[in-house]
Amino acid sequence: MSHREVLRALSGLLMVLFAAMVSSTVVSVALPQIVGDLEGTQSQYTWVVTATLLASTASTPVWGKLADLFDKKRLLQIAIVIFATASLLCGLVENTGQLIALRAVQGLGMGALQVLVQVIIGAMVSPKERGRYNGYLGGVMAVSTVGGPLLGGAITDTDWLGWQWCFFLAVPICIAAFAMLSRTLHLAETKRTDVKVDYLGATLIAAGVSLLLLWVTFVGNDFDWISWQTAVMVAGSVTLLGSAVLVETKVREPVVPVHVLKRRDPALATVASLAVGMAMFGGAVFLGQYFQISRGFSPTEAGLLTIPMMFGVMIASAIAGRLVSRSGKVKPYIVAGTLVLTGGFSMLATIDHETNLVFMGAGMFLVGTGVGMSMQNLVLVVQNSVPLRELGAASGAITFFRSLGGTIGVSVLGAVLADQVADKIADGLAALGIDASASSGSSSLNLDAMPAPIAEIVRAAYGDATGHLFLISACIAAAGFVAALFLSPVRLRETVDLAETPAGEEPALANG
């Protein structure tokens, strides 16, 4: 496709990506009010986020592999329909349980949209040129993450709209994108008559990951770390995932290409992407809650306060994308990005309920800059290592591990936050001479319904506990930095497809 044709199709793809990403960010600052209006708890608050990430993570490698086997355009259209329908229904829920269930369905469509956009762009342009288009992806990511919280806050604060429109918003965007892609997206698909879908591998992976994430969500809250429930769930996850690895090494069309991930650079990029996803999603998802509950800002104000982080994503991704396309070198930007990400989270690890907002803004800007420099470039490392016929599975794998990191991050940090907040609230209530076990309302997120002294204790508890989350995120980001240091200094290829190599040999990549 010519540059003009690519840009026309890219406009529709970016709308799809925007719809998928804004569905999370537009809800982020509204969640405290949504869960409060639906009379949910902190555990359910975390589950509203986790359900989407869980479904998205478990289905991502399957969608990626299907893109190698079937018509990519048709798959994208199916994903748009699933996502738009679930978004519409999310705005019609009457309780938190319904919202969690429909958010899981929304996650199925979200996972498909995120990986299919990357696969289709990879089928249109070479890895070296892809750096420039990744700048556009970074821009959309920044606009959706900057505009999403602002829009979500404005919608939530507008009486005649209500938080339901945080979900309805994605529907017209999806309809417009569907119509645009029907006219502009034209891929040269190769008909395959020997298609075999690895249903067993896909089922084992989805079941193993889901069971693992369920354990991460409930452990430490509903049961102890050392308990029979932990033993059963962990053993079950290890058995299922171990069986999945065995199946993936035997079948002809694996969902996750183990032979690719065994190579040095794809393996390191996967580890770094896992760490970046865990740190970014796990840490950032609780910022809106911090600003609203701990600092008392409105949803709109909370969205405005996250601008430094999103501005960092937008600037860093655009600049790094163009520099990667110009030089063909990607490692320096990944190493620098993961280092900056670690520094930003280290700054945020020191916050409490009275931290200066300018200091927080600087830390968030560094976090955004680190994500913008590293996240999409890690995908490029993997895509540069595989031929076109494996592009979907490889892209699905790297996106899968990034989403897995984000889901684990949200679950683990949510559990840590709930535990820290419970202890701090109990200490605060004890100082007032109140028995914490007798004050069940302190677990609610509806502060307006609490007496002023108790509400102040809850605010301080959330603010002081949030710093612990960012300390964990900093340690995780540091692991990603170490993995990035060991990447090979390869130069991105200038062709869409990879030259065939004899069986058993790794593709030849030019050293930078």
Side-chain angles (χ1 to χ4, degrees):
M1 297 176 66
S2 67
H3 179 61
R4 181 178 179 181
E5 291 172 331
V6 170
L7 287 179
R8 290 180 62 197
L10 188 66
S11 60
L13 293 173
L14 294 181
M15 289 182 67
V16 165
L17 185 64
F18 176 80
M21 297 199 66
V22 83
S23 67
S24 294
T25 58
V26 76
V27 173
S28 60
V29 296
L31 268 182
Q33 182 168 335
I34 293 172
V35 177
D37 288 350
L38 296 175
E39 299 183 354
T41 64
Q42 174 61 45
S43 176
Q44 290 174 320
Y45 180 101
T46 303
W47 259 108
V48 171
V49 178
T50 303
T52 306
L53 289 175
L54 177 63
S56 174
T57 302
S59 64
T60 292
V62 179
W63 286 107
K65 186 58 188 178
L66 290 176
D68 286 336
L69 303 177
F70 301 106
D71 189 312
K72 299 177 181 61
K73 180 177 178 179
R74 184 63 55 83
L75 284 173
L76 183 64
Q77 291 173 327
I78 292 172
I80 292 174
V81 172
I82 293 174
F83 178 76
T85 303
S87 299
L88 177 64
L89 295 176
C90 279
L92 302 176
V93 299
E94 297 180 351
N95 56 61
T96 314
Q98 293 176 0
L99 179 61
I100 292 172
L102 287 169
R103 286 281 286 174
V105 179
Q106 191 181 40
L108 291 175
M110 186 186 303
L113 295 179
Q114 289 178 341
V115 69
L116 290 174
V117 166
Q118 295 184 85
V119 171
I120 290 173
I121 291 176
M124 293 192 297
V125 294
S126 68
K128 185 177 179 182
E129 285 300 308
R130 214 171 295 155
R132 174 170 57 172
Y133 296 106
N134 278 345
Y136 297 136
L137 294 179
V140 168
M141 180 172 17
V143 170
S144 62
T145 46
V146 171
L150 291 174
L151 194 55
I155 290 173
T156 305
D157 289 340
T158 303
D159 294 335
W160 57 272
L161 285 177
W163 56 259
Q164 289 84 354
W165 275 93
C166 291
F167 300 106
F168 295 154
L169 176 69
V171 178
I173 300 175
C174 287
I175 294 174
F178 189 99
M180 184 175 295
L181 287 168
S182 297
R183 292 186 295 105
T184 61
L185 183 59
H186 306 290
L187 297 176
E189 299 284 357
T190 302
K191 295 289 185 182
R192 297 186 56 177
T193 58
D194 59 341
V195 171
K196 282 193 174 181
V197 180
D198 179 20
Y199 294 109
L200 178 59
T203 302
L204 290 171
I205 291 172
V209 170
S210 299
L211 185 58
L212 177 64
L213 295 178
L214 288 172
W215 171 71
V216 169
T217 301
F218 292 122
V219 70
N221 188 21
D222 293 82
F223 51 82
D224 295 330
W225 287 88
I226 301 177
S227 62
W228 69 265
Q229 293 96 329
T230 291
V232 170
M233 297 180 82
V234 171
S237 297
V238 171
T239 302
L240 289 168
L241 293 176
S243 300
V245 171
L246 183 62
V247 170
E248 296 303 274
T249 58
K250 302 294 183 182
V251 297
R252 188 178 63 183
E253 298 282 1
V255 173
V256 176
V258 178
H259 64 282
V260 172
L261 298 181
K262 287 194 298 185
R263 299 174 193 154
R264 172 180 169 180
D265 285 337
L268 289 170
T270 298
V271 171
S273 188
L274 183 71
V276 170
M278 189 180 296
M280 173 59 186
F281 292 111
V285 75
F286 296 103
L287 276 173
Q289 188 176 20
Y290 168 83
F291 284 125
Q292 290 181 70
I293 293 181
S294 179
R295 306 303 291 265
F297 292 107
S298 69
T300 302
E301 292 168 335
L304 287 170
L305 288 168
T306 62
I307 283 182
M309 182 170 68
M310 309 318 165
F311 185 70
V313 174
M314 181 174 63
I315 296 298
S317 62
I319 294 176
R322 290 195 171 274
L323 291 177
V324 166
S325 286
R326 184 177 303 170
S327 66
K329 297 180 180 180
V330 69
K331 178 181 176 179
Y333 305 100
I334 297 176
V335 172
T338 50
L339 180 61
V340 172
L341 180 65
T342 304
F345 276 127
S346 297
M347 289 182 63
L348 294 179
T350 64
I351 69 171
D352 56 25
H353 68 287
E354 296 179 337
T355 300
N356 182 277
L357 294 180
V358 175
F359 177 85
M360 286 197 66
M364 287 188 290
F365 177 78
L366 291 179
V367 168
T369 300
V371 170
M373 294 178 69
S374 58
M375 187 167 284
Q376 283 303 119
N377 287 327
L378 287 166
V379 177
L380 274 182
V381 171
V382 175
Q383 290 182 338
N384 191 62
S385 307
V386 299
L388 185 60
R389 70 176 187 276
E390 294 182 338
L391 183 65
S395 301
I398 188 74
T399 307
F400 163 70
F401 284 106
R402 184 175 68 195
S403 298
L404 177 63
T407 309
I408 293 175
V410 170
S411 300
V412 170
L413 297 186
V416 171
L417 179 64
D419 184 64
Q420 290 274 330
V421 166
D423 290 344
K424 293 181 182 297
I425 289 177
D427 293 342
L429 293 177
L432 294 179
I434 301 174
D435 183 5
S437 60
S439 181
S440 58
S442 61
S443 63
S444 170
L445 298 182
N446 188 4
L447 300 186
D448 294 336
M450 298 181 186
I454 294 180
E456 188 57 35
I457 290 174
V458 174
R459 290 187 189 279
Y462 272 94
D464 297 345
T466 303
H468 293 278
L469 306 189
F470 293 122
L471 177 61
I472 297 173
S473 295
C475 296
I476 296 169
F481 170 70
V482 173
L485 286 176
F486 289 95
L487 286 170
S488 301
V490 299
R491 191 179 295 274
L492 299 179
R493 67 176 191 261
E494 299 185 21
T495 57
V496 173
D497 206 351
L498 185 67
E500 292 292 337
T501 55
E505 293 185 16
E506 292 194 12
L509 301 175
N511 287 329

